[in-house]
Amino acid sequence: MAAKTKFRGSFTALVTPFKNGSLDEAAFRSLVNWQISEGTNGLVPVGTTGESPTLSHDEHKKVVEWCIAEAKGRVPVIAGAGSNSTKEAIELAQHAEKAGADAVLVVTPYYNKPTQEGMYQHFKAINDAIGIPIIIYNIPPRSVIDMSVDTMKRLWELKNIAGVKDATASMVRVSQQRAAMGEDFNQLSGEDATIIGYMAHGGHGCISVTSNVAPRLCSEFQAAWAKGDHATALKIHDKLMPLHNNLFIESNPAPIKYAMSLLGKLDETLRLPMVPVTEPTRVAVRSAMVHAGLIN
């Protein structure tokens, strides 16, 4: 039987702060503590939002270690461990396990466009190399490929495949995956804007970009939904919806880093080819933060 995870609620896809071209360890550790104090249910370091493509492997591993050390077991840590090289993904996953991660998030291999069988073999190789749960990250807009429900069902038979971060934005997919794998298959949304529909179709939570800047509201949304208080959940969603939209006017994580700089949480520094957002996007992000009650 496959691994089981019971990840529920709001998990933050953490940004990676930089200063003077290097990792800003103090800012990152401060973010981890702030997120937990604001009610975030779990942390996901070094995913796309954490600018994993431009971190060296050593930097990637440091961020995972800092996150686990600072969280101190208070919330689960799902460490990013994806690569379009199976060998590299295995190395990152093994490091995350050794560092004490609760699970790893492994993206479908981008750019080289493997077939469904290639994806199966990629995830099987990682499964066979570690002993902690694996969350499949299915994000066709970035990876170009889309893992089918049938491939997921095959993978679900392996011991460490536990669930999915679903960034397809397809409400149908949630129900299809429930039908194929059952309630124990841990389904987390990777799309903030469609989260109400995702939860209504049987999702378990969200790995969120918005929760970097609005951790309490994102957590309160999930708590209200879990209690069946859908009216409160909808009210919170309405507060957050402009943020959910405007944080993606330009490529993530440039808008979210600008938003967090407005809260004084980090420098608005990115690594090329990512660049700071344009003035119209700044206006839109600031307006959305005012709408959410995060700034005046």
Side-chain angles (χ1 to χ4, degrees):
M1 177 56 81
K4 298 292 190 297
T5 50
K6 293 287 186 183
F7 298 137
R8 299 289 187 273
S10 180
F11 280 61
T12 302
L14 291 165
V15 297
T16 301
F18 300 120
K19 182 169 279 188
N20 300 322
S22 299
L23 301 177
D24 188 342
E25 180 178 356
F28 181 81
R29 287 180 179 267
S30 177
L31 279 180
V32 168
N33 282 303
W34 179 62
Q35 285 284 327
I36 295 170
S37 70
E38 289 289 292
T40 290
N41 304 113
L43 300 170
V44 185
V46 285
T48 309
T49 308
E51 291 177 79
S52 57
T54 51
L55 297 189
S56 71
H57 283 193
D58 285 345
E59 288 174 326
H60 182 119
K61 292 172 183 176
K62 281 180 183 175
V63 172
V64 169
E65 290 165 6
W66 296 341
C67 187
I68 293 164
E70 207 60 40
K72 298 182 176 71
R74 290 175 288 172
V75 297
V77 173
I78 307 174
S83 174
N84 60 345
S85 160
T86 304
K87 182 179 178 182
E88 288 182 5
I90 288 171
E91 179 192 349
L92 294 173
Q94 287 176 332
H95 170 266
E97 179 178 19
K98 186 176 180 181
D102 296 279
V104 288
L105 180 68
V106 178
V107 69
T108 50
Y110 39 87
Y111 190 74
N112 43 15
K113 295 177 69 173
T115 61
Q116 295 297 317
E117 181 62 25
M119 278 189 276
Y120 175 83
Q121 294 297 339
H122 175 81
F123 279 89
K124 184 180 185 303
I126 301 165
N127 170 87
D128 294 348
I130 63 173
I132 59 174
I134 297 167
I135 303 297
I136 299 163
Y137 185 11
N138 193 30
I139 181 166
R142 282 188 184 261
S143 66
V144 185
I145 52 173
D146 182 2
M147 184 182 285
S148 70
V149 177
D150 287 343
T151 300
M152 256 179 229
K153 187 175 182 180
R154 286 181 69 200
L155 286 169
W156 177 232
E157 296 171 3
L158 304 178
K159 65 183 176 70
N160 292 318
I161 302 296
V164 64
K165 176 185 177 182
D166 187 332
T168 63
S170 167
M171 298 302 94
V172 174
R173 194 68 65 88
V174 193
S175 292
Q176 290 172 336
Q177 287 161 182
R178 275 174 63 84
M181 278 81 75
E183 170 65 19
D184 287 336
F185 188 69
N186 201 168
Q187 297 206 65
L188 302 170
S189 173
E191 278 279 331
D192 283 298
T194 56
I195 187 59
I196 276 203
Y198 193 91
M199 299 304 289
H201 273 264
H204 299 123
C206 186
I207 296 179
S208 169
V209 173
T210 303
S211 60
N212 275 285
V213 74
R216 185 170 296 279
L217 284 171
C218 289
S219 176
E220 287 175 350
F221 166 83
Q222 290 288 340
W225 188 274
K227 289 190 295 185
D229 186 355
H230 298 157
T232 296
L234 182 58
K235 186 176 180 182
I236 296 169
H237 186 70
D238 286 344
K239 286 182 73 172
L240 288 171
M241 193 62 198
L243 263 179
H244 293 335
N245 280 327
N246 295 356
L247 289 175
F248 293 91
I249 293 173
E250 296 182 39
S251 296
N252 179 49
I256 191 64
K257 278 198 160 179
Y258 170 65
M260 296 180 75
S261 74
L262 292 179
L263 297 184
K265 296 297 179 185
L266 47 77
D267 289 347
E268 188 196 356
T269 306
L270 301 112
R271 282 188 176 169
L272 287 170
M274 304 305 297
V275 294
V277 292
T278 60
E279 188 58 33
T281 298
R282 291 172 187 273
V283 171
V285 168
R286 180 183 282 274
S287 171
M289 290 177 71
V290 170
H291 181 85
L294 302 175
I295 58 175
N296 296 320

